[in-house]
Amino acid sequence: MSSEGLSIGISVGGPGAGAAGRAHRPAAVVRRSRWVPLAVDVAAILVAALDVWLAVPANAPPYSILLSALACLALAAHRRLPFGAVLLTVPGFLIGWSQLAAMIALGMLATRKQMHWQVWAGAVLVWACRFVRWPPGDFTQLSWREHVLDGIYGVLVAGMPIAIGLLAGARARLTRKLGELTASRDRERRLAAAAVRAEERARLAREMHDVVSHDITLIAMQAGALTAQDPPSARQTAEVIRQLSTRTLEELRSLVGVLRSGGEDDGPHPGIGELGRLVHNCNLAVRLTMDAVPEQVPPKVSAAAYRTVQEALTNVCKHAPGAPATVLVRGGDGALTVEIRNERPRGEPPALPSGGYGLAGLAERARLLGGSLETCTTEDGGFRIRARYPLGV
């Protein structure tokens, strides 16, 4: 007492399908998506009921019609009790005419549970309903050929919904994974952008500190000397202050240009070729020695060496006034070594402003270039800064 049609209506939307992108959907789309499962359930029940109505004979016993109707209504419980829905369709399939309802319930179970034992238990029950004929007297009168054919048809009836359900479940999992991958890629992109912005801010902070701290310190010292000199010397000191101020503004303008451009090329920076001018203008007793410096030094290394010397001389001006200093720039072993040493202070340090990030910025610059920075006090009460930058940058 089974319908011979093998038509199938199975929901391919597993739980969580498309959930990764649900948070970004408009409200109207979300509201529509809530009606989709209900529409699928109603359609499945109507199709299963139509299958029963077309297959039931005129002289069918009432209990078989009742069990078939119960099997169709059991599809409404497949989302909360998927295995229970399959069990409720078994009597209607075995005794009644609800073959399609059992197939739909099995397919929905396979969509949700995939390779769970309940799927295979449901498959065995559905196969048995297709293989066994009701009443038992009709089943025992069948020939062995009819038994073989019923077994083959039972495999098709039970296997086809499982195959479609596994495919639908795999599609739902793939959709979720793609959504998670997209979200992860977006997070990585945001984190990378934040890291680039943080690195750019740190680089600009180092550049601003190196440029402004040095020149402003010299301006403050020249302004202090201006108050204690006679008018001719005062004019000369004022001219030095004007030049320092002009140079500081020019370097600030170049840094603002780097910030606005946002490109990889930071533009020209002072390098080791300008150390002589830096030492000459720092108003300190400094001895500069260049030893075996390569003719071609990477721009980043050259700029780092210049900033190291600049920051060290600024610290001498602030913390060791009157102390002579030596600057040694030496190349060798694939690296450029910059060492600045000053003696103990000869007077009371002036009250000059301090950013507090100079040595930290030098250490960070050296780390980014793969080098190192060492600072220590000397035995005579002075201070030593030694930086090493690889030339293979």
Side-chain angles (χ1 to χ4, degrees), residues 5-76:
L6 296 179
S7 57
I8 305 174
I10 297 176
S11 169
V12 298
R22 190 173 298 150
H24 302 286
R25 294 178 183 177
V29 178
V30 174
R31 286 194 297 269
R32 286 198 302 269
S33 64
R34 294 174 181 174
W35 290 97
V36 171
L38 179 60
V40 171
D41 294 346
V42 171
I45 295 174
L46 292 178
V47 171
L50 179 63
D51 177 65
V52 172
W53 181 65
L54 294 177
V56 64
N59 59 346
Y63 67 87
S64 65
I65 300 177
L66 180 61
L67 292 176
S68 299
L70 177 63
C72 295
L73 295 177
L75 296 178

Side-chain angles (χ1 to χ4, degrees), residues 8 16 23-24 40-41 51 79 140 155 185 246 276 293 304 321 326 348 355:
I8 305 174
H24 302 286
V40 171
D41 294 346
D51 177 65
R79 298 190 184 276
T140 57
V155 171
R185 184 174 56 190
T246 302
V293 177
T326 58
E348 189 68 20

Side-chain angles (χ1 to χ4, degrees), residues 7 45 64 95 137 145 161 164 174 183 187 197 212 227 244 250 275 301 305 309 311 317 322 335 356 362:
S7 57
I45 295 174
S64 65
I95 302 176
R145 289 186 177 86
I164 297 177
L174 179 60
R187 286 194 302 269
R197 288 194 298 268
V212 177
T227 61
L244 291 174
E250 290 176 353
L275 287 178
V301 174
V309 176
E311 176 61 25
C317 293
L362 292 180

Side-chain angles (χ1 to χ4, degrees), residues 99-112:
Q99 172 178 304
L100 187 56
M103 295 175 66
I104 294 176
L106 180 60
M108 291 177 174
L109 175 64
T111 302
R112 295 174 63 90

